[in-house]
């Protein structure tokens, strides 16, 4: 395919926080970058609560993902400061810590096991009695039986983050095409750009597919390279803490209630985010009475005073789930095509490290050690030499 002199070096498909951070970091390294998305700054981050929960969302068998999550969490302070400087806007990064609590004997046993796993993994986490939990957060229900205090699990405001990334990309010279990418262009044996929904083509030396849960649907991507991502629906509520009720909560409070995760994330602005359901319902993003009811019921068991607060927004988003709950980062078996998708529950947390990994690989380097287990090639049925 012949390229015009103004053709970009990199085409990023998808303008959620992952696509934006990739575009920003690549542009900072001097690459000419075009990003295609009808609504850049949208995507799952518009719904997400923004917990940076490397420690409180630890799961058995996910040690490699823990290392990546911790790597990204460690990058957050400098990343947020640099992004705020580049964009001139806040990100809402807040070092507030997290308290994971237990409401009954089963929850308590589960939390004790999580605590053991955290300590065996060398993480900072302190066991508190119910009384100590309530001393930290007086709005907690009297029935709280104990909890884990994790001072290192912070939060960011994903809407502010997306908006800051958008501005930083614009200031950094990223060109935006407000269109869906309809089909990957493959020329010879390599990715060479994309056909957009308006019928125009963008040619580029390298293409990054960062379309969140939609990444597995791009036409033209060879079957063995197509990322195995699926949408996992999450319903999320937003409430407001009126000044008369403040301080309502001073840190993120979370629990597993009847087997479902519930978390309350308080922002300095007075917003209180309550999430989230986890539903395998394809592309459905309906907010249901049942979803809202269950979130409010579970949140009310943790913090009874929540029923006094104005409910200002209900929304559903789609997490990009992958077969091992971990992201796909870097080169695929198709030369010129890279992936940055499959971040599942950790997209906001993994934004800083994803930007670094993708920019390094786009520049011809190798991913850092923490990202190597997350090569997209782990899902390829057939290796094609790069
Ligand atoms: N990380 C929180 C969620 O995906 O619900």
């Amino acid at each position: 395919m012949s390229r015009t002199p103004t053709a970009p070096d990199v085409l990023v498909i998808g303008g959620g926080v992952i696509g934006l951070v990739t575009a920003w970091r690549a542009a900072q390294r001097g690459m000419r970058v075009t990003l295609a998305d009808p609504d850049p700054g949208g995507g799952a981050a518009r719904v997400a609560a923004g917990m940076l929960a490397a420690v409180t969302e630890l799961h058995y068998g996910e040690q490699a993902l823990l290392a990546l999550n911790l790597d990204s969490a460690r990058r957050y302070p400098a990343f947020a400061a640099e992004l705020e400087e580049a964009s001139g806007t806040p990100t809402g990064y807040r070092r507030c810590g997290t308290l994971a609590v237990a409401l009954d004997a089963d929850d308590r046993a589960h939390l004790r096991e999580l605590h053991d796993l955290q300590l065996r993994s060398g993480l900072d986490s302190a066991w508190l009695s119910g009384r100590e939990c309530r001393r930290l957060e007086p709005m907690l229900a009297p029935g709280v039986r104990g909890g884990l205090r994790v001072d290192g699990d912070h939060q960011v405001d994903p809407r502010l983050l997306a908006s800051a990334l958008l501005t930083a990309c614009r200031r950094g010279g990223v060109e935006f095409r407000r269109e869906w990418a309809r089909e990957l262009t493959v020329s010879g044996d390599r990715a060479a750009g994309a056909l957009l929904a308006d019928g125009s083509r963008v040619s580029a030396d390298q293409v990054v597919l960062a379309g969140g849960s939609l990444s597995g649907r791009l036409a033209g991507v060879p079957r063995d390279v197509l990322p195995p991502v699926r949408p996992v629906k999450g319903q999320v509520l937003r409430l407001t803490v009126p000044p008369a009720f403040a301080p309502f909560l001073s840190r993120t409070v979370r629990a597993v209630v009847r087997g479902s995760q519930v978390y309350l994330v308080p922002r300095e602005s007075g917003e209180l985010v309550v999430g989230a359901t986890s539903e395998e319902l394809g592309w459905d993003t309906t907010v249901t009475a049942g979803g809202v009811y269950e979130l409010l019921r579970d949140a009310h068991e943790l913090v009874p005073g929540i029923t006094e607060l104005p409910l200002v927004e209900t929304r559903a988003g789609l997490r990009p789930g992958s077969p091992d709950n971990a992201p796909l980062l870097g080169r695929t078996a198709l030369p010129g095509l890279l992936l940055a998708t499959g971040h599942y529950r950790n997209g906001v947390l993994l934004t800083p490290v994803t930007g670094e990994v993708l920019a390094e690989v786009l520049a011809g380097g190798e991913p850092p050690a923490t990202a190597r287990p997350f090569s997209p090639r782990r899902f390829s049925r057939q290796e094609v030499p790069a």
Side-chain angles (χ1 to χ4, degrees):
M1 175 174 293
S2 64
R3 300 180 60 228
T4 64
T6 54
D9 301 308
V10 178
L11 171 64
V12 178
I13 297 175
V17 289
I18 296 300
L20 289 169
V21 78
T22 300
W24 180 46
R25 290 305 199 193
Q28 279 182 321
R29 291 188 182 221
M31 295 175 226
R32 287 168 301 165
V33 182
T34 294
L35 185 149
D37 191 308
D39 181 23
R46 201 168 275 169
V47 180
M51 289 181 302
L52 307 175
V55 178
T56 43
E57 287 206 7
L58 175 62
H59 293 288
Y60 283 102
E62 294 188 353
Q63 295 297 327
L65 182 57
L66 170 66
L68 186 71
N69 287 342
L70 289 173
D71 181 349
S72 205
R74 276 191 290 269
R75 293 173 191 260
Y76 242 102
F79 170 79
E82 185 185 350
L83 180 56
E84 290 181 359
E85 172 75 24
S87 65
T89 62
T91 60
Y93 177 62
R94 186 177 178 202
R95 297 173 205 232
C96 61
T98 295
L99 185 63
V101 301
L103 286 166
D104 62 27
D106 286 348
D107 297 347
R108 200 168 178 277
H110 168 82
L111 218 50
R112 281 282 191 198
E113 280 177 25
L114 175 62
H115 191 217
D116 287 346
L117 179 61
Q118 290 167 338
L119 296 183
R120 283 202 304 278
S121 307
L123 302 170
D124 275 342
S125 170
W127 181 263
L128 302 185
S129 67
R131 185 173 300 169
E132 287 168 325
C133 290
R134 282 188 298 279
R135 203 173 297 138
L136 276 184
E137 295 295 342
M139 296 305 284
L140 280 174
V144 164
R145 305 277 291 266
L148 295 176
R149 176 179 176 163
V150 178
D151 289 341
D153 274 3
H154 302 310
Q155 63 157 294
V156 71
D157 183 332
R159 293 178 180 177
L160 294 180
L161 176 71
S163 162
L165 282 168
L166 201 51
T167 304
C169 281
R170 286 202 183 103
R171 290 185 174 180
V174 174
E175 188 198 335
F176 285 90
R177 296 292 308 273
R178 297 180 78 98
E179 297 287 344
W180 290 113
R182 188 188 289 163
E183 186 176 343
L184 182 75
T185 308
V186 179
S187 179
D189 64 351
R190 48 179 303 129
L195 170 67
L196 304 188
D198 65 357
S200 64
R201 285 188 186 273
V202 177
S203 54
D205 289 335
Q206 301 189 81
V207 179
V208 180
L209 178 49
S213 55
L214 290 166
S215 303
R217 300 184 107 190
L218 184 66
V221 180
R223 213 168 67 86
D224 288 340
V225 173
L226 205 60
V229 289
R230 67 184 196 287
V232 182
K233 177 179 173 183
Q235 299 189 48
V236 173
L237 317 177
R238 282 177 161 78
L239 298 89
T240 300
V241 178
F245 288 77
F248 191 76
L249 294 174
S250 63
R251 73 201 71 223
T252 296
V253 169
R254 57 185 303 156
V256 177
V257 182
R258 284 177 285 272
S260 301
Q261 297 270 356
V262 63
Y263 44 80
L264 291 84
V265 182
R267 306 235 193 274
E268 265 161 6
S269 64
E271 181 177 81
L272 180 68
V273 186
V274 178
T277 64
S278 190
E279 304 164 77
E280 302 264 0
L281 289 173
W283 303 98
D284 172 59
T285 52
T286 314
V287 174
T288 63
V292 174
Y293 164 71
E294 284 170 24
L295 287 172
L296 286 176
R297 179 196 62 196
D298 296 349
H300 173 255
E301 281 192 33
L302 279 186
V303 179
I306 197 170
T307 50
E308 303 296 319
L309 304 180
L311 173 63
V312 292
E313 190 184 316
T314 58
R315 251 188 210 234
L318 299 173
R319 306 175 183 91
S322 76
D324 58 6
N325 299 335
L328 292 81
L329 302 175
R331 296 184 189 96
T332 67
L334 178 68
L337 180 67
L338 291 81
L339 297 181
T341 187
H343 292 70
Y344 188 38
R345 299 179 67 92
N346 297 311
V348 176
L349 170 62
L350 291 175
T351 295
V353 77
T354 298
E356 288 302 328
V357 170
L358 267 291
E360 183 61 31
V361 176
L362 284 166
E366 291 304 317
T370 52
R372 283 188 202 138
F374 304 104
S375 161
R377 292 173 179 227
R378 71 191 187 278
F379 297 121
S380 292
R381 277 162 293 215
Q382 185 190 325
E383 287 279 318
V384 179

